[in-house]
Each structure stands twice: as C-alpha cells, then as structure tokens.
Amino acid sequence: MTFPRLHMAPKPALRSLYFPTHTSTKCKCSNDNGLQEARRDRRIRKGGIAASLFILSSAISIEGLLINNPSLAFSPLAILSSIFVASRLPVYIPNPPLKLNEDVEIRDSPGRGMGVFSKRRIVEGTYLFDYIGEHLDEAMYLERYPPNTPGASSDYVVDLTNGDPFALDPIFIDGANTNASGLARWINHGADEASRNVRRQHQHWPTRVMRLFAARDIEPGEELMYDYGTRYWEGREDMVR
C-alpha cells in the first residue's frame, strides 16, 4: 500500500550516517569534503585496526613461544576468531514484525508530514520491523546521489555496514521508493530523549539489515521516533525536528 506524503512541511527521514547531505547548496563545499573525509576515515580505520591487531597478536605469540607456552602463542588467533564470530551473530527477533493498521498506523504528524503511530501498547524490547529498501553498493549510491548535485537527496539511505569493523566496503539500503520500502521509512526524528522510543540495531550476518525495537514501553496513539544522529542535520538546520 502506498501512502501519499503531505507537503505542508518538510518530512525528514533517516539517511546515511556515512555521507553528509547533498540537498542544500549552502553545504556544497562541505559535501565534497565530507565524502572525501569519510573515505579517508575508512582507510585510516582499516589500517589502524589491521596494524594494531598485527602488532598485538605478534607480541603475544612471540612471548608464548619464548616461554614455551603454546596456549599463549595461539591465544591471539582464538581471541580474534571469537570477536569475528560474535560480530556475526544474528540479531534475535522475539516476535513477528508489527502489522500496518493492526499494531501501527501511518498518519499525519503535526509539522513533520507523515509518521508512524502505535495502535496498541507495545512493550519494551518488542521487535518492530526492519528498515526495507533497495540495496546499493558505493558505486550505485554515488551514481544515484552524486555529491554537490541539487535534488540528489539521500534522505532515506542507511549505511548497513555502520559499526562493523570487518566491513571492507559500505553497503547501503535506500528507502526512498515507497513501493520498495516498508514502515520504517516513515518514522520521524525524536528531538529529545523522552520522545525517542525506538532503538536500531544492525545485523551484519547472515544478511545485513537494520532492525528496529521498542526502546521503552510505547502507549497507544504515541508516535514512534528515534534519533537520526547529528550528521543528518548538517545543512538542515532550518527544518522541523
């Protein structure tokens, strides 16, 4: 089902935390700088992690060999394997996803356009739904949303590799197309802690997804909201939060 969007006010939505916004001309310079900065940070992070792990594991292994302790010598491999496996554990889903018009509804959110509202009490920890959309690699993302291009708005893009130290390249999901996305694209930003009743959790394996859960008990009629993050608002300072 497709829902029309109200045009009485701008409707902010989750976007990638990886790239700054491309929608405002007053951010034209920072857009390109932000893109290059993101790539540079990614290279530095990968190099730093690799170098640190190599130095640490080598030191421990050498120490183990010097004192003739095989367990200590092979402990770095065991630790790294455990960290890798732990980062790949699927996110536990305690219940089926919420249903439109049974559990939640999409309706007008004053000053924000459309929003998602609960139709019943939702207890803390309840799985809500995934952020659904089109999957994009970095090349596809840049082709669809070229930096410093008016109208190339990545408002509904999420970086699925966010927080994954083992990710080599970013993978994005774009919820801009209402026919290819789900309920999560309609969730608005919570301007304060009291209104942020939704938390997000990234799953890196076996599939990369962003799952949404109730951060606290949500009462009937309450709007679902979470924090978009500070980078979303770069160049959007005049928008309703």
Side-chain angles (χ1 to χ4, degrees):
M1 181 181 297
T2 302
F3 293 86
R5 296 186 58 192
L6 299 183
H7 299 287
M8 65 176 69
K11 164 65 169 64
L14 182 67
R15 73 170 182 89
S16 170
L17 302 181
Y18 184 84
F19 293 109
T21 178
H22 306 318
T23 58
S24 175
T25 54
K26 64 183 178 183
C27 295
K28 183 169 290 188
C29 294
S30 61
N31 285 338
D32 184 63
N33 291 338
L35 179 59
Q36 298 302 323
E37 180 183 350
R39 287 174 167 170
R40 182 174 61 252
D41 289 347
R42 191 174 68 197
R43 289 194 298 268
I44 294 174
R45 183 189 65 186
K46 291 178 182 178
I49 292 175
S52 300
L53 292 177
F54 176 78
I55 294 172
L56 178 62
S57 59
S58 297
I60 295 176
S61 297
I62 292 173
E63 180 68 18
L65 293 173
L66 291 176
I67 64 176
N68 196 25
N69 187 333
S71 297
L72 180 62
F74 289 100
S75 61
L77 178 61
I79 293 173
L80 291 177
S81 299
S82 300
I83 294 174
F84 179 80
V85 171
S87 70
R88 264 47 194 167
L89 291 177
V91 176
Y92 174 66
I93 299 177
N95 56 272
L98 302 189
K99 295 182 178 180
L100 180 65
N101 297 328
E102 291 186 19
D103 305 304
V104 295
E105 62 181 345
I106 298 175
R107 57 181 171 86
D108 177 36
S109 176
R112 295 185 177 90
M114 306 295 283
V116 181
F117 294 79
S118 63
K119 295 194 68 175
R120 62 170 178 83
R121 190 171 187 270
I122 303 172
V123 299
E124 180 180 355
T126 298
Y127 166 63
L128 306 178
F129 30 68
D130 289 352
Y131 195 95
I132 299 173
E134 301 173 83
H135 283 69
L136 310 174
D137 59 22
E138 186 175 32
M140 296 168 65
Y141 174 91
L142 292 175
E143 180 180 0
R144 180 172 295 186
Y145 301 110
N148 306 324
T149 302
S153 173
S154 58
D155 289 355
Y156 296 91
V157 176
V158 174
D159 182 4
L160 293 180
T161 52
N162 183 38
D164 182 8
F166 297 100
L168 298 179
D169 294 295
I171 299 295
F172 305 96
I173 188 165
D174 189 357
N177 185 347
T178 56
N179 294 320
S181 59
L183 294 171
R185 77 180 300 281
W186 300 99
I187 295 183
N188 283 309
H189 169 72
D192 52 61
E193 289 296 331
S195 64
R196 297 168 185 170
N197 50 21
V198 174
R199 64 176 175 86
R200 52 189 174 180
Q201 188 169 352
H202 288 258
Q203 174 179 289
H204 303 301
W205 189 87
T207 57
R208 291 192 182 275
V209 294
M210 189 179 82
R211 304 197 188 282
L212 302 179
F213 296 84
R216 58 169 173 77
D217 292 345
I218 303 174
E219 300 302 324
E222 189 175 352
E223 183 173 4
L224 276 59
M225 295 184 177
Y226 60 90
D227 184 12
Y228 286 1
T230 56
R231 294 195 66 181
Y232 177 87
W233 300 103
E234 295 175 9
R236 302 168 185 261
E237 293 80 3
D238 56 341
M239 294 182 66
V240 177
R241 300 195 183 195

